[in-house]
Amino acid sequence: MYITDSGQYCLTMLETKLLSLLHVLIAVGDFLRHCFYSLPIRFPYQWKNLQQKADARDLKKVPTHLGVIVCEEDISLPDIANLIVWSIALGVSYFSIYDLNGYIKRKRKELKEALDNAQKKCLDEEQRKYTIVIHNDAESRPHENGCYSSNKIDIQLLSKADGRQNLVETTRLLSQQVASKQRRLEDITPSTVEEFIKEKFHFPDPELILRFGKGECLFGFQPWQIRLTEILSARSHHNLGYSSLTDLFHQYGETKQRFGR
């Protein structure tokens, strides 16, 4: 086919225009991609907030009460604080943090400082409106005077003294009530013992326990609270990342509790 000079000129102009348009589209695409990947740097808190909200929506279920058992000799308070703060962002309201020898209980002040730092680092201003209250034993009341605040996070610090030892104490108190005729011996059944314990310990039962360390036992964690609790294990709490925590929450979301069926 013969193409005239004017036709050749038109084809050349068309190719030039198309190449220019292609270059513009590539440049716009590079600019948008750069803007997208720079969002976490330019707006770190807003980006984390959006990511955490999206992760919370993706979870099939979130525990109201999260138990944490640390079965490691070396305990990192900053890593524990990160775990708590990330879990708050995902929707957890109650925490039971347990180590056998009570190291975390003795370091309550340091844990509070680590929590404050983790909140500033991991949460935006809106999420930091939560009031975190740390209780140093299992008998503390999470909501004084019967008042509940949706912006209040309750954390109880536990050790072996709050586990089986408190069950022994409960038995002693019931025995004293029988001896003083406050209760009849025949009235003491598993259900009455359970009611007595629930009156004494005011946190709800944990739906999920995360156990960190090599041990496969619960190291004396309160046995009466975990009949229906899902227990997941991880190698260590040291350097636990946000994605590793959400993976554990997703694993919990996939479990089906049949309640004895």
Side-chain angles (χ1 to χ4, degrees):
M1 178 185 297
Y2 175 73
I3 302 177
T4 63
D5 291 342
S6 61
Q8 184 65 44
Y9 174 77
C10 290
L11 286 175
T12 302
M13 290 297 296
L14 179 60
E15 290 174 355
T16 302
K17 295 292 185 183
L18 289 174
L19 285 173
S20 298
L21 178 61
L22 181 61
H23 284 129
V24 170
L25 291 175
I26 292 174
V28 170
D30 287 339
F31 174 75
L32 292 175
R33 184 166 58 252
H34 172 74
C35 290
F36 177 78
Y37 286 114
S38 67
L39 283 174
I41 299 173
R42 292 174 179 270
F43 308 101
Y45 293 125
Q46 293 86 342
W47 181 261
K48 288 178 181 177
N49 187 22
L50 290 172
Q51 180 184 0
Q52 290 162 353
K53 287 182 177 179
D55 291 335
R57 287 194 298 268
D58 288 341
L59 294 173
K60 291 185 177 179
K61 56 182 178 179
V62 176
T64 300
H65 182 180
L66 175 65
V68 176
I69 299 177
V70 183
C71 312
E72 300 174 86
E73 292 184 5
D74 183 20
I75 297 177
S76 169
L77 296 180
D79 286 314
I80 295 293
N82 285 337
L83 184 157
I84 292 172
V85 168
W86 290 332
S87 299
I88 292 172
L90 294 173
V92 180
S93 299
Y94 296 89
F95 296 85
S96 292
I97 312 298
Y98 180 94
D99 73 286
L100 184 64
N101 296 317
Y103 172 83
I104 301 176
K105 290 180 71 171
R106 295 192 299 273
K107 296 292 183 178
R108 173 178 176 172
K109 181 179 178 181
E110 290 84 348
L111 177 62
K112 183 64 170 64
E113 293 174 354
L115 284 168
D116 291 340
N117 292 332
Q119 282 187 289
K120 294 175 183 177
K121 181 177 65 175
C122 301
L123 302 181
D124 64 12
E125 186 175 351
E126 178 184 355
Q127 290 174 309
R128 293 200 298 270
K129 291 179 180 179
Y130 289 104
T131 299
I132 296 178
V133 179
I134 300 178
H135 309 273
N136 232 23
D137 56 61
E139 296 187 42
S140 299
R141 292 185 178 272
H143 305 297
E144 298 295 338
N145 302 321
C147 297
Y148 173 80
S149 170
S150 60
N151 291 329
K152 188 163 175 280
I153 304 298
D154 289 290
I155 303 172
Q156 60 179 353
L157 306 180
L158 305 173
S159 67
K160 62 181 178 181
D162 302 293
R164 297 183 186 278
Q165 184 60 39
N166 272 331
L167 192 56
V168 172
E169 179 67 14
T170 298
T171 303
R172 185 182 66 81
L173 290 174
L174 287 173
S175 299
Q176 289 177 349
Q177 291 183 358
V178 171
S180 61
K181 301 187 183 304
Q182 292 177 286
R183 289 180 186 265
R184 296 185 305 171
L185 181 61
E186 56 268 26
D187 292 335
I188 298 180
T189 64
S191 60
T192 57
V193 172
E194 180 180 356
E195 290 174 4
F196 186 87
I197 289 174
K198 284 187 175 181
E199 289 176 3
K200 187 178 179 183
F201 303 102
H202 309 285
F203 273 60
D205 292 350
E207 297 93 343
L208 172 64
I209 286 178
L210 300 180
R211 178 177 54 196
F212 296 99
K214 296 180 180 180
E216 293 300 324
C217 66
L218 296 179
F219 293 91
F221 188 88
Q222 303 175 23
W224 55 87
Q225 285 194 324
I226 56 176
R227 295 169 303 155
L228 304 176
T229 302
E230 185 68 25
I231 302 172
L232 300 178
S233 297
R235 182 182 301 177
S236 177
H237 72 289
H238 287 276
N239 300 316
L240 182 76
Y242 174 75
S243 59
S244 298
L245 179 65
T246 54
D247 286 345
L248 289 168
F249 274 57
H250 279 293
Q251 187 177 343
Y252 164 70
E254 295 297 330
T255 60
K256 295 181 179 180
Q257 294 176 308
R258 301 187 182 276
F259 303 104
R261 294 195 298 273

